[in-house]
Amino acid sequence: MSESGLTVLDGTHLRSFNPSLPELNGSVSGAQLLEIADSKASTSLFGLSLPQNLKASALSRVIAGPGDHADVTFRQTELDKDKASKFLSDYISAIADELKDDPLVVSILDGNTLKMFLEDEDDYAMLAENLFTDMDIEDKGKICKNELRNALVHMGVEMGIPPFSEFPLLNDILKKHGAEGEEELGQAQFAELLQPILQETADALSENHVVIIHNVKVVNGSKLRKLLADEKQFDNVVERVLQETKSGKDGLQKTTELIRSFFEKHGNDFGLPPSESNDAVILLYDAVFSEVENEESVVKADNEFREYMEDVLKKFAEQLEDNPIYCDLDD
């Protein structure tokens, strides 16, 4: 799914993927099989290099027992074709499950954003002018050729340029077009030199996409649903909330206010977005607590309190499943 020009990888792409093994001569080691499986998962996810923690968590879902020992043992194990095929399917499903619980937010740089700038003369002229102005920090009306590198960095992922560390071909493209050295360029010369650099970058990205993972947390209610399904864990949370609300003013006189205050302070521990994240979180809290206030605002007995808490958390989970909250962890 997509959100505001970004792509959210929540496992959907993998669930429709039917992986198959390459031709094998006899058995295959667990280590070789993991390489095959990671490659197939990556291909299905637009060429994304799978994060190590994602791979480790998925593997622990499939093999008997998490931890380094189980991992090493599996990698050394020889599997026949049938067992290898089953592992491949189970592992891909496990990655999908991990992404459902904790989606990744990515930008897929395929050259299309750059091509949109290049195809419209007015858009390109404005882009080049703005870049030149930003690079001309001394306001001389001239910049050095080597500032082209900084111009690309300045454009960044939002405008379709991958980091040099992720796409070192940019160095070759700059060198090919002579975007090096101290020779000074005026605005028109800058725009003339920048255009073929962007065009070649767009062409290269269309052949080899670059996928950038953003430091964004998608809160979709999955952690809350797990909490609600685990009776012992849920009872612990209820007890924690109960103790804190009992110490509040007038005991449990106004349950909704006390519980809301608790979750605004501690909700991140249970799978709720931080209350200070953005306006969407405030709207989420307002929607949930206005609904439960209409049902019941005063709870007297502990067993009623448990039911009340369950109702509140279920409503949070439903709201987040329908409308996930995106929290920028860099803010």
Side-chain angles (χ1 to χ4, degrees), residues 227 233-242 270 309 313:
L227 169 64
Q233 187 183 6
F234 175 63
D235 285 343
N236 289 338
V237 173
V238 171
E239 182 62 26
R240 180 177 167 186
V241 180
L242 190 59
F270 314 117
M309 275 284 297
L313 291 178

Side-chain angles (χ1 to χ4, degrees), residues 46-66:
F46 310 101
L48 170 72
S49 179
L50 301 179
Q52 188 58 43
N53 64 325
L54 172 61
K55 294 189 288 186
S57 297
L59 182 60
S60 70
R61 285 179 181 248
V62 179
I63 62 178

Side-chain angles (χ1 to χ4, degrees), residues 166-179:
E166 299 288 333
F167 199 58
L169 182 61
L170 283 172
N171 292 305
D172 298 332
I173 293 173
L174 288 172
K175 186 173 182 179
K176 174 183 175 181
H177 292 278

Side-chain angles (χ1 to χ4, degrees), residues 17 35 74 138:
F17 178 50
E35 286 186 15
F74 174 78
E138 296 181 4

Side-chain angles (χ1 to χ4, degrees), residues 256-257 260-261 263-264 272-273 275 278-294 312 315-316 319 325:
T256 51
E257 292 178 4
R260 176 166 183 160
S261 176
F263 280 127
E264 285 176 340
L272 289 171
S275 59
N278 50 49
D279 291 342
V281 180
I282 297 173
L283 294 174
L284 169 68
Y285 273 78
D286 288 346
V288 168
F289 283 101
S290 64
E291 191 174 346
V292 295
E293 267 191 325
N294 291 333
V312 170
K315 285 180 168 56
F316 268 121
Q319 289 275 349
I325 301 287

Side-chain angles (χ1 to χ4, degrees), residues 251-265:
L252 293 175
Q253 183 182 356
K254 190 67 172 175
T255 307
T256 51
E257 292 178 4
L258 294 168
I259 292 180
R260 176 166 183 160
S261 176
F262 177 88
F263 280 127
E264 285 176 340
K265 286 189 282 186

